[in-house]
Amino acid sequence: MSKYQNIKEECFRANMQLPELGLVIYTFGNVSMVDRKHNVFAIKPSGVPYETLTPQDIVIVDFENKIIEGDLRPSSDTKTHAHLYKSWSNIGGICHTHSTYAVAWAQAQLNIPIFGTTHADHLTTDIPCVPPMKDADIQGDYEKMTGKQITDYYTTIGMSPTEIEMVLIANHGPFTWGASVEKAVYNSKVLEELAKMAYLTLQINPKSEKLKSTLIQKHYERKHGKNAYYGQ
Amino acid sequence: MSKYQNIKEECFRANMQLPELGLVIYTFGNVSMVDRKHNVFAIKPSGVPYETLTPQDIVIVDFENKIIEGDLRPSSDTKTHAHLYKSWSNIGGICHTHSTYAVAWAQAQLNIPIFGTTHADHLTTDIPCVPPMKDADIQGDYEKMTGKQITDYYTTIGMSPTEIEMVLIANHGPFTWGASVEKAVYNSKVLEELAKMAYLTLQINPKSEKLKSTLIQKHYERKHGKNAYYGQ
Amino acid sequence: MSKYQNIKEECFRANMQLPELGLVIYTFGNVSMVDRKHNVFAIKPSGVPYETLTPQDIVIVDFENKIIEGDLRPSSDTKTHAHLYKSWSNIGGICHTHSTYAVAWAQAQLNIPIFGTTHADHLTTDIPCVPPMKDADIQGDYEKMTGKQITDYYTTIGMSPTEIEMVLIANHGPFTWGASVEKAVYNSKVLEELAKMAYLTLQINPKSEKLKSTLIQKHYERKHGKNAYYGQ
Amino acid sequence: MSKYQNIKEECFRANMQLPELGLVIYTFGNVSMVDRKHNVFAIKPSGVPYETLTPQDIVIVDFENKIIEGDLRPSSDTKTHAHLYKSWSNIGGICHTHSTYAVAWAQAQLNIPIFGTTHADHLTTDIPCVPPMKDADIQGDYEKMTGKQITDYYTTIGMSPTEIEMVLIANHGPFTWGASVEKAVYNSKVLEELAKMAYLTLQINPKSEKLKSTLIQKHYERKHGKNAYYGQ
């Protein structure tokens, strides 16, 4: 039995959550999970429908995009995942979807404003929308450059991947990650809900103001701060 | 067997209704139920997913927020519940969610206008949105002050908790209550539906007028008045 | 066994369709079915949840609102149904819901414009929104006057109930009917879909024009005309 | 056993996907599948509900609209299907629905703009909305003219049916097709999702710009180009 059997199965289960959570139709998404001991990650094969996906279909790839184990071609977004795992040593899983409301904000090329405590329970800033890529990068190593676009943007805005675990790529859609693959998928579902809430907020009141900083700090700290008292 | 076994089970069932009714994802909500004889209430533990929640996980807390029975930490919103039970002796259950349309109105910091008979079947006024808390209160005993914010607001507008069983906290979300825990959950579902209907009404016609007072009285009275003839 | 057993069972099944079709939550709706031979109709009891409703709970009422058979109080809207059956001898069933998009149009006090062939497959005009009732009528025999409001409005606009089988009551919601009780429920579902489509059409293009008369005639006639060729 | 048994069963399964995918209510849609060897196609019978549809109900029709096999009347849109199969020899299946968001764009008489990579994964242009038909054509051989309207429009804009496999008929709704019947149904689901995403994009930002040509080419080519690397 493969030494990657466990992450294949966990990666499979995480992928299967996407249709259950209403985040994808057909093959519009992929989840990966890293194995930091062996510097490889497990990822969904490209274009395989969720209804027929099995744990054995999951592909094991290293950070240079070399297939280590598996009979199928990995997700076409594999190089984006590889770049993120290589650049950010503290993330354990990555999730990419084309969920409806998150894509709409990405297509509108706008950050999702922080309007409420539901948002502040997860991050203290707007959800960033990374601007469109330069033509030379699109025509070059596109999927790798998508990853580099994200990491460069985080450097520019001075944020770490643990501070903001969700991002929109302009005209494309969301990528989310987390310490675990379950957290990465969780963040995709939360992002979609925040995207819908922010959309409705602006439809109801186009002059809606962002959450004030004391409430942002309070809600973020009670869940993630040193003296957090949310959860068990 | 605990003397609180019955309210633990009833509180558990009421909490389990939230995901069934589409009012919460993950752990975005909590329901409590009071025992007026012993001056305690049963409440959901903090951060426990609905899929794994059991009646034994429900925590028994008194009105001073002291844990009376239970191995888990109670909901982070426990102090809000305690304040409401202590202040309002005629409520039997409280429900808090982050349901999508209700949160959108809370984030827009607007009351939900009374546009139709569906609304008037449940209350005779707009659904109030309590303004954002002062910074000192946020940084102080935040969850207790959330409760106090609600009871103070009711005093200000001269309404009783039986006249308006649902409220929005600006930038946060809804709290509802009722004579029973079932009624508290029912009110959360009704509030979400009223929030969606009012949103659509204003999108269709931004100049929509509120329901006239004769219709408000008629619908409220036929369901809740002295000569009510709705129901069995 | 009651001679009304059959219509009780058929009326029960029609009522149970409302939650299945997503047209009601809780007790927000009622369906009735007429027996023209005995001049009575079967109707849902008032305020009984769909989860516990049984065929034996259905109440038999005559056109003067007298209970002929049944232990429960009939729907609070019974007088509206009675008036419609008495006034319009060619309808066999009536359905009333508070479905979300139809209610939003009713609360906006606007007719639903005929924008497409989906609409024209069912009627050749806008779906009328009957204006709010006079205060004296609201304070008088309200539910009967709701029915009279509908029949008077049809007289005013010169339409028959078979030409337009669906109507909105301003600030309240939809009533639909049909030759059979199944058709009455079908019309409530279709109305909700037409209400959503028209809403989205105006959001996309506020200057959207109504369907031209040749297309209205073509689609209506191919389904309902003398030479209809739709269906079996 | 009929020599058309296989396409009847495959056509039946494709039709049954429409309610499962949330694309139709009641009888608001039809799917057909061609047999190029015998120059016939299998199509849903007119007005038969999906709940009672069986493979034996599927009708076999030739390109001149003559019924070759089957006891029921074929879909009222049969002549549209026949014209498309006759005109376009490389399509294998056709799907017609009244899905909500696609109909809304058709009723607004607007092309669906190409705003993102989800769209570009499937086609490189806006989704065309064919303008309303002339009155003479509506009053004449309406369903055949609907097909002719589509093929004429493709000639006018200089596109082939394999380049754009989805179209809106103004004030009516979508038609989609593909090399196989599965692909035709897939395209109807994708079209509905693109219609919803584009709607939300414009609601969030009415000045949203279309996807730039380098991204359109990149996404289309990686899935459909000579050096495609999406899928297995």
Side-chain angles (χ1 to χ4, degrees):
Chain A
M1 202 173 77
S2 160
K3 64 179 166 186
Y4 302 119
Q5 190 60 25
N6 282 349
I7 63 164
K8 278 187 187 178
E9 282 177 15
E10 200 169 337
C11 177
F12 164 76
R13 283 194 301 269
N15 271 287
M16 292 306 288
Q17 275 191 60
L18 298 192
E20 287 162 23
L21 291 166
L23 295 173
V24 301
I25 57 168
Y26 296 115
T27 60
F28 291 19
N30 45 73
V31 182
S32 70
M33 178 184 168
V34 80
D35 173 345
R36 291 286 174 193
K37 195 173 141 201
H38 298 97
N39 283 327
V40 297
F41 60 98
I43 192 165
K44 182 176 175 295
S46 181
V48 174
Y50 291 100
E51 300 87 64
T52 61
L53 190 67
T54 69
Q56 292 323 308
D57 295 337
I58 300 296
V59 190
I60 305 294
V61 185
D62 73 13
F63 296 172
E64 305 309 321
N65 308 300
K66 202 182 133 199
I67 296 178
I68 301 301
E69 199 175 289
D71 300 326
L72 299 172
R73 189 188 288 183
S75 163
S76 58
D77 297 310
T78 295
K79 286 182 178 179
T80 311
H81 292 246
H83 177 82
L84 294 177
Y85 284 128
K86 203 171 162 182
S87 307
W88 290 340
S89 59
N90 48 2
I91 64 173
I94 297 170
C95 180
H96 171 53
T97 79
H98 286 233
S99 67
T100 316
Y101 286 85
V103 164
W105 281 93
Q107 293 188 160
Q109 299 197 14
L110 290 172
N111 297 345
I112 302 177
I114 180 165
F115 282 132
T117 63
T118 322
H119 190 131
D121 282 338
H122 297 93
L123 71 166
T124 61
T125 68
D126 293 351
I127 299 166
C129 180
V130 182
M133 214 183 277
K134 286 182 200 142
D135 286 356
D137 290 341
I138 295 168
Q139 287 157 347
D141 200 352
Y142 174 64
E143 287 82 7
K144 181 181 170 180
M145 293 314 289
T146 300
K148 192 162 179 314
Q149 207 189 358
I150 298 173
T151 54
D152 284 357
Y153 193 77
Y154 271 64
T155 305
T156 305
I157 61 173
M159 299 298 285
S160 80
T162 49
E163 288 171 302
I164 308 179
E165 296 185 330
M166 45 186 83
V167 80
L168 303 175
I169 307 292
N171 298 114
H172 188 157
F175 278 87
T176 66
W177 49 82
S180 67
V181 69
E182 289 79 16
K183 188 67 190 308
V185 172
Y186 169 91
N187 282 331
S188 281
K189 179 68 180 175
V190 168
L191 167 54
E192 179 65 4
E193 183 66 12
L194 295 176
K196 185 171 183 184
M197 284 173 169
Y199 162 75
L200 292 170
T201 301
L202 285 176
Q203 295 288 313
I204 293 171
N205 182 2
K207 293 176 195 292
S208 292
E209 283 177 26
K210 293 193 194 177
L211 193 62
K212 59 182 184 173
S213 59
T214 40
L215 270 172
I216 293 176
Q217 287 314 314
K218 180 67 194 180
H219 269 263
Y220 192 76
E221 293 298 325
R222 79 173 192 168
K223 207 163 173 180
H224 307 282
K226 223 185 335 186
N227 302 311
Y229 50 90
Y230 183 92
Q232 300 300 326
Chain B
M1 204 172 76
S2 160
K3 64 179 167 185
Y4 302 119
Q5 189 60 24
N6 282 349
I7 63 164
K8 279 186 185 177
E9 283 176 14
E10 199 169 337
C11 177
F12 164 76
R13 284 195 301 271
N15 272 285
M16 293 307 288
Q17 276 191 59
L18 298 192
E20 287 163 23
L21 291 168
L23 295 173
V24 302
I25 57 168
Y26 296 114
T27 59
F28 292 19
N30 45 72
V31 182
S32 70
M33 178 185 170
V34 80
D35 174 344
R36 291 285 174 193
K37 196 175 139 200
H38 299 97
N39 283 327
V40 297
F41 59 98
I43 191 165
K44 183 176 173 295
S46 182
V48 174
Y50 292 99
E51 299 88 63
T52 61
L53 190 68
T54 70
Q56 291 324 307
D57 295 336
I58 300 296
V59 189
I60 305 294
V61 185
D62 72 13
F63 296 172
E64 306 308 322
N65 307 300
K66 200 182 135 199
I67 297 178
I68 301 301
E69 198 176 290
D71 300 326
L72 299 172
R73 189 189 288 184
S75 164
S76 58
D77 296 309
T78 295
K79 287 182 176 178
T80 311
H81 293 245
H83 177 81
L84 294 178
Y85 285 127
K86 203 170 162 182
S87 306
W88 289 340
S89 59
N90 48 1
I91 64 172
I94 297 170
C95 180
H96 170 52
T97 78
H98 286 233
S99 68
T100 316
Y101 286 85
V103 164
W105 280 94
Q107 294 188 159
Q109 299 195 16
L110 291 172
N111 297 346
I112 302 178
I114 181 165
F115 281 133
T117 63
T118 322
H119 190 131
D121 283 337
H122 298 92
L123 70 165
T124 61
T125 68
D126 295 350
I127 299 165
C129 179
V130 181
M133 213 183 277
K134 286 182 200 141
D135 287 355
D137 290 340
I138 294 167
Q139 287 157 345
D141 201 351
Y142 175 63
E143 288 81 7
K144 181 182 171 183
M145 292 315 288
T146 300
K148 192 162 179 313
Q149 209 189 356
I150 297 173
T151 53
D152 285 356
Y153 193 76
Y154 271 62
T155 305
T156 305
I157 61 174
M159 299 298 285
S160 80
T162 49
E163 288 172 302
I164 309 179
E165 297 184 329
M166 44 186 83
V167 78
L168 304 175
I169 307 292
N171 298 116
H172 188 158
F175 279 86
T176 67
W177 49 83
S180 67
V181 70
E182 289 78 16
K183 187 70 190 307
V185 172
Y186 169 91
N187 281 331
S188 280
K189 179 69 179 175
V190 168
L191 166 54
E192 179 65 3
E193 184 66 11
L194 295 177
K196 186 173 182 184
M197 285 174 170
Y199 161 74
L200 292 170
T201 301
L202 285 175
Q203 294 289 312
I204 292 171
N205 181 3
K207 293 176 195 294
S208 293
E209 283 177 25
K210 293 195 195 177
L211 193 62
K212 60 182 182 173
S213 59
T214 41
L215 271 172
I216 293 177
Q217 288 313 315
K218 180 69 193 178
H219 270 262
Y220 193 76
E221 294 299 325
R222 79 174 193 167
K223 208 164 172 178
H224 307 282
K226 225 186 332 185
N227 302 310
Y229 51 90
Y230 182 92
Q232 299 302 325
Chain C
M1 204 172 76
S2 160
K3 64 179 166 185
Y4 302 119
Q5 189 61 23
N6 282 349
I7 63 164
K8 279 187 188 178
E9 281 176 16
E10 200 169 336
C11 177
F12 165 74
R13 282 194 303 270
N15 271 287
M16 292 308 286
Q17 277 191 59
L18 298 191
E20 286 163 23
L21 291 167
L23 295 173
V24 302
I25 57 167
Y26 297 114
T27 59
F28 292 19
N30 45 73
V31 183
S32 70
M33 178 184 169
V34 81
D35 174 344
R36 290 285 175 194
K37 196 174 142 202
H38 299 96
N39 283 327
V40 298
F41 59 99
I43 191 164
K44 183 175 175 295
S46 181
V48 174
Y50 292 100
E51 300 87 62
T52 61
L53 189 68
T54 70
Q56 290 325 307
D57 295 337
I58 301 296
V59 189
I60 304 295
V61 184
D62 73 11
F63 296 171
E64 305 310 321
N65 307 299
K66 201 182 133 198
I67 297 178
I68 301 300
E69 197 176 293
D71 301 325
L72 299 173
R73 188 189 289 184
S75 163
S76 59
D77 297 309
T78 295
K79 286 183 177 179
T80 312
H81 292 246
H83 177 82
L84 294 178
Y85 285 127
K86 203 171 162 182
S87 307
W88 291 339
S89 59
N90 48 2
I91 63 172
I94 296 170
C95 180
H96 171 52
T97 79
H98 287 233
S99 68
T100 316
Y101 286 85
V103 164
W105 281 94
Q107 293 189 159
Q109 299 196 15
L110 290 172
N111 296 346
I112 302 178
I114 180 165
F115 282 133
T117 63
T118 322
H119 190 131
D121 283 339
H122 298 92
L123 70 166
T124 61
T125 68
D126 295 350
I127 298 165
C129 179
V130 181
M133 213 181 279
K134 285 182 201 142
D135 286 355
D137 290 340
I138 295 168
Q139 288 158 344
D141 201 352
Y142 175 64
E143 288 80 8
K144 181 182 170 180
M145 292 315 287
T146 300
K148 192 163 180 313
Q149 209 188 358
I150 297 174
T151 54
D152 284 356
Y153 193 76
Y154 271 62
T155 306
T156 305
I157 62 173
M159 300 297 286
S160 79
T162 49
E163 289 172 301
I164 308 179
E165 296 184 330
M166 45 186 81
V167 79
L168 304 175
I169 307 293
N171 298 114
H172 188 158
F175 278 85
T176 66
W177 50 82
S180 68
V181 70
E182 289 79 15
K183 187 69 190 311
V185 172
Y186 169 92
N187 282 331
S188 281
K189 179 70 180 175
V190 168
L191 167 55
E192 179 66 3
E193 183 66 12
L194 295 177
K196 185 171 183 185
M197 285 173 169
Y199 161 74
L200 292 170
T201 301
L202 285 176
Q203 295 289 312
I204 293 171
N205 181 2
K207 293 176 195 292
S208 293
E209 283 177 24
K210 293 194 194 177
L211 192 63
K212 58 182 182 174
S213 59
T214 41
L215 271 171
I216 292 176
Q217 288 312 316
K218 181 67 194 179
H219 269 262
Y220 193 76
E221 294 298 326
R222 77 173 194 169
K223 209 164 172 178
H224 307 281
K226 224 184 338 182
N227 302 309
Y229 50 91
Y230 182 92
Q232 300 300 326
Chain D
M1 203 173 76
S2 160
K3 64 179 167 186
Y4 302 119
Q5 189 61 25
N6 282 349
I7 62 165
K8 279 186 188 179
E9 283 178 12
E10 201 169 335
C11 177
F12 164 75
R13 283 194 301 271
N15 271 288
M16 292 307 288
Q17 276 191 60
L18 298 192
E20 286 163 23
L21 291 167
L23 295 174
V24 302
I25 57 167
Y26 296 115
T27 60
F28 291 19
N30 46 72
V31 182
S32 70
M33 176 184 170
V34 81
D35 173 344
R36 291 286 175 192
K37 197 174 142 204
H38 299 96
N39 283 328
V40 298
F41 59 98
I43 192 165
K44 182 176 175 296
S46 182
V48 174
Y50 291 99
E51 300 87 63
T52 61
L53 190 67
T54 69
Q56 291 324 307
D57 295 337
I58 301 294
V59 189
I60 304 294
V61 184
D62 73 11
F63 296 172
E64 305 310 319
N65 307 300
K66 203 183 131 199
I67 297 178
I68 301 302
E69 199 175 290
D71 301 325
L72 299 172
R73 189 187 288 183
S75 164
S76 58
D77 297 310
T78 295
K79 286 182 176 177
T80 312
H81 292 246
H83 177 82
L84 294 177
Y85 285 128
K86 204 171 162 180
S87 306
W88 289 341
S89 59
N90 48 2
I91 62 172
I94 297 170
C95 180
H96 171 54
T97 79
H98 286 234
S99 67
T100 317
Y101 287 85
V103 164
W105 281 93
Q107 293 189 158
Q109 299 197 14
L110 290 172
N111 297 344
I112 302 178
I114 179 165
F115 282 132
T117 63
T118 322
H119 190 130
D121 283 338
H122 297 92
L123 71 165
T124 62
T125 67
D126 295 350
I127 299 165
C129 179
V130 181
M133 215 183 278
K134 285 182 200 141
D135 287 355
D137 291 341
I138 295 167
Q139 289 158 344
D141 201 351
Y142 175 62
E143 287 81 8
K144 182 182 170 180
M145 293 314 289
T146 301
K148 193 163 179 312
Q149 209 188 357
I150 297 173
T151 54
D152 284 358
Y153 193 77
Y154 271 62
T155 305
T156 305
I157 62 173
M159 300 298 285
S160 79
T162 49
E163 288 172 302
I164 308 179
E165 297 184 330
M166 46 187 81
V167 78
L168 304 175
I169 307 292
N171 297 115
H172 188 157
F175 279 86
T176 66
W177 49 82
S180 67
V181 70
E182 289 80 16
K183 188 69 190 308
V185 172
Y186 168 91
N187 281 331
S188 281
K189 179 70 179 174
V190 168
L191 167 54
E192 180 65 4
E193 183 67 12
L194 295 177
K196 185 172 183 184
M197 284 173 169
Y199 161 74
L200 292 170
T201 301
L202 285 176
Q203 294 289 313
I204 293 171
N205 182 2
K207 293 177 195 292
S208 293
E209 283 178 24
K210 292 194 194 178
L211 193 63
K212 60 182 182 173
S213 60
T214 41
L215 270 172
I216 293 176
Q217 288 313 316
K218 180 67 193 179
H219 269 263
Y220 193 75
E221 294 298 327
R222 78 173 193 168
K223 207 162 173 180
H224 307 282
K226 226 188 333 188
N227 301 311
Y229 50 90
Y230 182 92
Q232 299 300 326

